[in-house]
Every structure is written in structure tokens, then in C-alpha cells.
Amino acid sequence: MKRRLKRADYQIPPTELAVYLLGKVFVGANGAFGRIIETEAYGGGNDPASHGNRGPTPRNQVMFGEAGHLYVYFTYGMHYCTNVVAGEKGECAAVLIRALEPLGGMEKMKNARLKTFGKGAIKETNLCSGPAKLAQALGIGIKQNGIDLTKPTPKQKVHIYDDGFIPEKPGKFYAASPRIGISSGQNLLWRHFFPENPYLSSTSS
DNA sequence: TAAAAGATCCCCT
DNA sequence: GGGGATCTTTTAT
């Protein structure tokens, strides 16, 4: 059974949404999809590492909007990162999708990755094992910034659904750690992931 | 107007 | 383990 996540599912604090999204299935703009195995929470209060920490700007305005929308930003001159807006309207909160376990559309993922990088980029464990990798593999770019995940259409396929996946160890099925790649807020254990999963982002341990 | 940093990735040693 | 690629956004002058 498949259930597409609805608005209310997203209207919770980012730290809760980061855990809730683990195990759910993320469908990309090109139809490829994978299971969410690694997330990070941002904002939702005083978070020095959040893009919205110093108030709204043209880039981060989506983070202040309605939950259930996609926040995509460009970074390091060549990469996109994919976030899901959380919390209440007016609040700045989002969850970064850091890694997926590929489930379908593997050929599409490989083709997308092959375009800009070499052969080494299309190993199955290299397809979605990082925020910029999965964005590229699933066709997520700046055009997807601000789209509504609760209302996919034939043109906008991006959404998240629950396929009834049950973690192996209910109650203690995920681990928490400091977030990766940030220069402040390292004290917060806001990264959540399935431990010992071979598809985790490579910068994780 | 300028400068710095960046929620990253890949390849080489 | 280390450095280069590459360029937008933000903040400071």
C-alpha cells in the first residue's frame, strides 16, 4: 500500500520531520525514486547553521513558507541540494535530504550522473549517497524550488510516499549525529540516518 | 563594488 | 588524506 504524504505530515518541527522522513520514498522530477536513509534538520528556532538564521532573503524565502514544499538551492558553483519545508507558515524550518537508497529508475539516475561526471559516478553506491548526488540523479534543480510535494502532476512528479516500510529494529532504528559540512551548530545532533546502510553519504562514518 | 564563504563532489597521491 | 573545480548569495566596505 502506498500513501502520499499530506500537508499535515509536514507541519511538524524539522527535527521531528527529519526522523519521520526516514524510510519514506522520494520520487524525483525524472521519475526515479529511492528510500530516504539520511536527513538533517535546519531552522525551527535559533539554528546558527540555517540559511534563514538572519531572516528571509531571496534565496531562502521558501523555507519561511508553507510546509510540504521543496526548497532547492545552488552551492559550490555546481551543486544543488534538496530540502523539504517543515513547521508552520512564517517559521523557518526545513529538512535536507542527504542520501537515498536507490529503488527504481536506476538507468535514469546513471544517465543524469554520467552527463557531468565520469564513469566512476555511476556506481550504484555513488548514485544517491550525498545531497548533491541525489539531486542530480533525480533531476532536481532550481526549477524545482518552491514546488508543492502534496500536489504532484504529470509535469511535476516530485513527491514523497509511505510504502509501509518497517525498520528492522523498531524503537531504535536510526542514529543521530552532528550535521555534516557546517561551521556552527555542531553541538546539535540533528543528522538522522539508518546506521550501516551502504548508501549513506560518503562524508559520513 | 568587492570579497568571502559555501548544508559538495571527484580525482589524484 | 588533500586540493581543485566553479559561481551564486550574502555581507561588508
Side-chain angles (χ1 to χ4, degrees):
Chain A
M1 57 164 190
K2 279 162 52 166
R3 184 185 74 87
R4 184 164 77 227
L5 301 197
K6 59 184 189 297
R7 184 79 58 210
D9 294 318
Y10 297 106
Q11 292 171 324
I12 56 179
T15 49
E16 290 180 27
L17 184 62
V19 174
Y20 178 74
L21 289 181
L22 290 176
K24 305 298 185 292
V25 177
F26 187 94
V27 182
N30 60 5
F33 56 98
R35 192 173 309 287
I36 299 171
I37 60 166
E38 183 178 347
T39 59
E40 285 178 359
Y42 284 91
N46 189 11
D47 175 14
S50 168
H51 283 171
N53 192 44
R54 304 189 193 204
T57 66
R59 176 175 70 164
N60 67 24
Q61 59 171 337
V62 176
M63 272 186 85
F64 288 83
E66 188 175 42
H69 289 247
L70 207 63
Y71 168 48
V72 181
Y73 67 89
F74 183 73
T75 190
Y76 287 106
M78 58 182 92
H79 296 302
Y80 295 97
C81 291
T82 308
N83 298 254
V84 178
V85 178
E88 299 303 314
K89 210 170 184 175
E91 183 187 14
C92 175
V95 173
L96 172 70
I97 310 295
R98 277 200 67 87
L100 304 176
E101 178 174 336
L103 294 180
M106 250 75 94
E107 287 310 310
K108 284 180 180 170
M109 295 185 190
K110 288 178 183 175
N111 288 338
R113 299 265 302 142
L114 195 58
K115 268 184 191 169
T116 29
F117 298 109
K119 221 178 162 186
I122 63 172
K123 268 185 59 183
E124 189 154 312
T125 50
N126 259 346
L127 288 177
C128 299
S129 54
K133 295 185 196 176
L134 71 91
Q136 186 183 29
L138 300 201
I140 306 291
I142 202 62
K143 277 195 302 187
Q144 278 70 38
N145 187 37
I147 66 172
D148 188 349
L149 294 171
T150 69
K151 293 187 173 74
T153 67
K155 272 194 170 181
Q156 291 288 10
K157 300 181 181 130
V158 187
H159 68 282
I160 300 175
Y161 67 85
D162 183 350
D163 67 350
F165 173 81
I166 298 176
E168 292 177 15
K169 301 173 189 169
K172 196 185 177 184
F173 63 92
Y174 70 87
S177 81
R179 292 167 291 179
I180 291 176
I182 55 173
S183 54
S184 58
Q186 294 98 331
N187 56 315
L188 301 170
L189 303 182
W190 282 7
R191 170 172 169 257
H192 304 282
F193 58 100
F194 289 155
E196 297 174 32
N197 187 297
Y199 300 96
L200 288 171
S201 68
S202 44
T203 37
S204 59
S205 53

